[in-house]
Amino acid sequence: MDTPTAAQALLEYYVKKILAAPVYQLAVRTPLQFAPALSEALGNQILLKREDLQPTFSFKIRGACNKLAQLSDGQKARGVITASAGNHAQGVALAARELGIEATIVMPTSTPALKVIGVRSRGADAVLHGDSFPFALEYALNLARQTGRTFVSPFDDPDVIAGQGTVAMEILRQHQGPLDAIFVPVGGGGLIAGIAAYVKYLRPDIRIIGVESEHSACLQAALQAGERVVLPSVGTFADGVAVAQIGAHGFQICREYVDQVLTVSDDELCAAIRNIYDDTRSITEPSGALAVAGIKQYVAQQGVRGQTLVAIDSGANINFDSLRHVAERAALSGARGEDAIYS
Ligand SMILES: *Cc1c(COP(=O)(O)O)cnc(C)c1O
């Protein structure tokens, strides 16, 4: 047998971690669901991986659960700390409660009360600090150093990446026939790194396509520059992926194994939220609709037909009050004939 290359060894390292990740004490195996209207309109079989149905309404519970489970007894006793205004915070809070670990979540002072309550109701200590995320992060890292608590990154950690990679393990088991591409939303790159590592090890023929918001396209910027860059500013409509720099661990995988990266606009996200609603009667958050928006753009650009394309429907944490804005934008792009499906 040939000696494996460093790249193959890295994939194997992640596949082993993914297969052993104890995420199912909290995460559920979500359905891989056929989307009839999208499939009909796009002329391809579209399947939705329903991560919006997780207990915290996003896949982040997988990475948090795996990371916390891997801590030593001493680390567990000292507790964990993280910085997040969103889905990672809920995941860490829930996983920490389940495993009997004390958790502190630092959130920017601008965090909506709903999310602060969401964290506190899961038994975690929510600390409000800093005007925006980078300040909350800095504070959390300092606090971790001072208190000996373990910092839990939302994406830049091999255990978190492996937890998110269990999504791919389920997809390949749930759909054993031909599969052409998996579309994955990208924020800090933890989810796509876990998925790419697992899929490229076992089924390298399946294309892995990242989808970013045009206001936080940090993976595309890094791939173009050949190194991780910090975006000067980041838009927050898709708040789940509003990250200025791709994670170092994730980039190591993405630069080798992501086949293509697409960027979509906020209006394309609003239209995709509507498409998902029409097929599932479920509402997704803007980040949760990135992959479907990416599939629509891909099919329009490449003109592919008869393929099987999977979209990760990654989350549903949207304020009810934002739905009016989403519905208005979706109706406007429909009326302008920009949305191929409804024109
Ligand atoms: C965190 C998140 C993402 C992006 O995941 P990364 O691992 O940061 O790339 C996508 N969608 C939702 C709903 C999220 O919460």
Side-chain angles (χ1 to χ4, degrees):
M1 214 175 95
D2 296 337
T3 344
T5 63
Q8 282 168 326
L10 184 65
L11 288 194
E12 195 173 308
Y13 163 82
Y14 274 111
V15 170
K16 284 182 179 162
K17 284 178 83 69
I18 291 166
L19 289 170
V23 301
Y24 299 110
Q25 348 175 211
L26 281 172
V28 298
R29 289 176 181 77
T30 56
L32 182 65
Q33 184 182 338
F34 177 63
L38 271 166
S39 299
E40 165 85 29
L42 296 174
N44 291 275
Q45 178 176 225
I46 311 298
L47 304 174
L48 303 177
K49 181 62 173 162
R50 296 289 310 277
E51 287 298 300
D52 59 311
L53 298 177
Q54 289 294 350
T56 51
F57 308 103
S58 94
F59 67 89
K60 290 288 200 311
I61 186 68
R62 295 176 185 263
C65 205
N66 189 41
K67 173 68 185 177
L68 268 51
Q70 307 295 331
L71 297 178
S72 69
D73 289 346
Q75 287 172 319
K76 284 180 182 156
R78 283 192 294 277
V80 295
I81 185 160
T82 192
S84 165
N87 295 336
H88 176 62
Q90 321 276 327
V92 170
L94 188 61
R97 188 174 69 182
E98 178 73 14
L99 295 169
I101 299 171
E102 269 183 42
T104 304
I105 320 278
V106 183
M107 310 174 97
T109 49
S110 56
T111 305
L114 187 90
K115 293 186 175 174
V116 180
I117 292 164
V119 162
R120 291 194 173 137
S121 72
R122 294 195 168 92
D125 183 16
V127 176
L128 295 173
H129 190 94
D131 289 342
S132 63
F133 179 73
F135 297 103
L137 176 65
E138 196 187 300
Y139 184 73
L141 288 169
N142 276 330
L143 218 54
R145 272 191 292 272
Q146 286 162 16
T147 59
R149 292 186 164 214
T150 303
F151 179 78
V152 181
S153 167
F155 48 79
D156 201 4
D157 180 307
D159 292 322
V160 173
I161 291 173
Q164 322 302 30
T166 57
V167 173
M169 178 180 78
E170 289 171 25
I171 292 172
L172 295 192
R173 286 178 186 171
Q174 288 168 315
H175 182 84
Q176 298 184 340
L179 207 174
D180 294 283
I182 303 177
F183 290 73
V184 188
V186 180
L191 178 63
I192 194 169
I195 289 177
Y198 192 85
V199 170
K200 291 298 182 181
Y201 187 76
L202 291 161
R203 295 274 307 272
D205 55 301
I206 299 174
R207 286 169 67 74
I208 301 296
I209 303 182
V211 189
E212 296 190 299
S213 158
E214 65 182 5
H215 304 296
S216 56
C218 64
L219 174 56
Q220 191 158 72
L223 290 171
Q224 273 163 10
E227 60 180 354
R228 296 160 60 232
V229 295
V230 181
L231 301 176
S233 70
V234 159
T236 57
F237 175 62
D239 57 337
V241 294
V243 175
Q245 186 181 32
I246 198 80
H249 291 284
F251 189 53
Q252 225 187 339
I253 299 279
C254 291
R255 67 190 312 169
E256 301 283 340
Y257 298 108
V258 169
D259 295 285
Q260 191 177 345
V261 180
L262 304 171
T263 57
V264 300
S265 68
D266 291 352
D267 280 357
E268 286 176 278
L269 289 180
C270 292
I273 291 172
R274 172 179 167 174
N275 297 137
I276 295 169
Y277 177 81
D278 285 345
D279 264 332
T280 63
R281 295 295 184 273
S282 290
I283 306 272
T284 45
E285 62 183 278
S287 305
L290 273 165
V292 164
I295 285 184
K296 289 170 67 182
Q297 196 188 87
Y298 180 80
V299 170
Q301 274 171 8
Q302 314 271 323
V304 298
R305 290 287 176 274
Q307 296 202 345
T308 299
L309 307 173
V310 170
I312 314 293
D313 179 347
S314 57
N317 288 303
I318 182 167
N319 279 334
F320 187 75
D321 295 341
S322 317
L323 295 175
R324 182 210 319 261
H325 171 76
V326 170
E328 273 172 14
R329 300 304 310 180
L332 281 174
S333 54
R336 285 197 301 268
E338 285 166 12
D339 191 351
I341 291 188
Y342 292 104
S343 54

